[in-house]
Amino acid sequence: METTLNMATNKPTLASRLMAHPVVRIVLGLVLTFAAMPLTMIVAAQLVAKPYRVAWPQLLAAVFVWFGYRFYVRRIEKRQPTELATQGMAREVGVGLLIGAGLVLSSFAVLAVLGAYRFGGVNAPSFAMLLPLAELVLVGMAEEMMFRGVIFGVIERSLGSKPAVVISALLFSLGHLPNEGVSVLAIASLAAYGVLQAALHMKTRRLWICIGTHIAWNYCVSTVFSSTVSGHAATDGLLRGELVGDALLTGGVFGVEASLIVVVLIAAAAAFWLRRAFAGKA
């Protein structure tokens, strides 16, 4: 009688079973992490005139995204968010920035050798070239916390590392389907990039290096090389130049990320870091 009563008492409730389900956790994680972005920008737009909404709304939203992710990890996953611990953060972000910048420089260098990128000169550096960093920090933090922190993390704990790499990379690439000029090569490039980011996360068990890589890639393509990023229109940056010729090399409307050269380079980097990540698990 007593054993039966204890079993009934210890039976998980419907709410606890739902909260333990991977899909529910992913949805909650995405909502809690991402919700701060549109809310902050909407409130800022309503309360502050446009000339005074320079950089700070994006940085404020990034802080809220950080708090939202930490809240999710502590309350839903019931663990400490060690992947966002500040100790060693600067070094890891720096390594990520170097990896991202190196990939961009390598991509444009190869395209230049092949005649697909024509360098036209250097614009005078200005403070305005730093302003895009606010939005890129927000995007880098939000996307890495969602795709690597939430989606990869939940799937890895449920199904293992290999399925987590594949599924998170696929979802990351498919998330860019609405972007202008998306193509098969663009999806392949973004999927390879998702694998690279998952491998970096697996290797370090941190998100800072992934955030640094993300920021550097977007900033270097857009503000250093003045080129299109994931279908978003190019703006004048540090270097003047243009992509010319076959869309197979230039990426067409989507930008350099849809270039075959970039697909190969990112895939090579992903394979290198993935091998290191799984070697560390052996």
Side-chain angles (χ1 to χ4, degrees):
M1 182 70 175
E2 184 178 352
T3 303
T4 303
L5 180 61
N6 287 338
M7 289 177 64
T9 303
N10 295 330
K11 184 178 180 180
T13 63
L14 176 61
S16 63
R17 293 200 302 272
L18 281 174
M19 293 297 285
H21 195 283
V23 174
V24 174
R25 291 199 169 200
I26 288 175
V27 171
L28 285 173
L30 295 182
V31 171
L32 290 171
T33 302
F34 180 76
M37 286 182 63
L39 289 176
T40 304
M41 304 312 293
I42 291 171
V43 172
Q46 293 295 320
L47 299 179
V48 182
K50 187 174 181 179
Y52 303 101
R53 297 198 311 268
V54 179
W56 69 263
Q58 291 88 347
L59 295 177
L60 180 61
V63 172
F64 288 144
V65 164
W66 184 78
F67 275 114
Y69 179 80
R70 288 173 62 87
F71 179 85
Y72 157 75
V73 170
R74 287 177 168 171
R75 294 302 180 92
I76 306 301
E77 294 194 352
K78 299 187 183 306
R79 63 179 180 83
Q80 290 299 313
T82 55
E83 63 270 32
L84 283 181
T86 54
Q87 185 176 2
M89 176 185 72
R91 180 183 62 82
E92 292 166 9
V93 170
V95 172
L97 291 173
L98 289 174
I99 293 173
L103 279 171
V104 175
L105 292 173
S106 300
S107 298
F108 278 91
V110 174
L111 289 171
V113 170
L114 295 175
Y117 176 72
R118 294 176 182 171
F119 176 67
V122 180
N123 292 319
S126 67
F127 176 74
M129 292 181 182
L130 296 178
L131 295 180
L133 281 172
E135 181 177 356
L136 298 182
V137 166
L138 171 59
V139 171
M141 289 182 64
E143 291 194 2
E144 292 309 316
M145 289 177 191
M146 289 192 298
F147 287 99
R148 259 57 70 177
V150 176
I151 294 175
F152 176 88
V154 171
I155 296 174
E156 184 183 39
R157 286 185 286 275
S158 301
L159 303 176
S161 297
K162 291 180 180 179
V165 171
V166 174
I167 296 172
S168 63
L170 181 61
L171 292 176
F172 178 74
S173 63
L174 294 179
H176 293 76
L177 279 176
N179 293 24
E180 186 177 1
V182 68
S183 64
V184 173
L185 277 178
I187 294 301
S189 175
L190 291 166
Y193 184 78
V195 172
L196 169 62
Q197 295 293 80
L200 290 171
H201 178 47
M202 284 177 60
K203 179 62 179 176
T204 63
R205 288 300 165 186
R206 307 265 280 172
L207 288 174
W208 294 119
I209 189 171
C210 303
I211 292 170
T213 306
H214 205 133
I215 294 171
W217 175 271
N218 287 341
Y219 184 80
C220 288
V221 172
S222 63
T223 309
V224 175
F225 284 94
S226 309
S227 191
T228 301
V229 179
S230 301
H232 298 289
T235 56
D236 291 336
L238 180 63
L239 304 180
R240 294 194 305 273
E242 60 177 342
L243 292 166
V244 295
D246 195 331
L248 188 67
L249 293 180
T250 67
V253 176
F254 193 82
V256 72
E257 289 161 312
S259 165
L260 178 61
I261 298 301
V262 171
V263 174
V264 172
L265 289 175
I266 293 180
F272 171 79
W273 283 102
L274 199 61
R275 183 174 180 179
R276 294 192 65 187
F278 278 108
K281 290 174 65 69

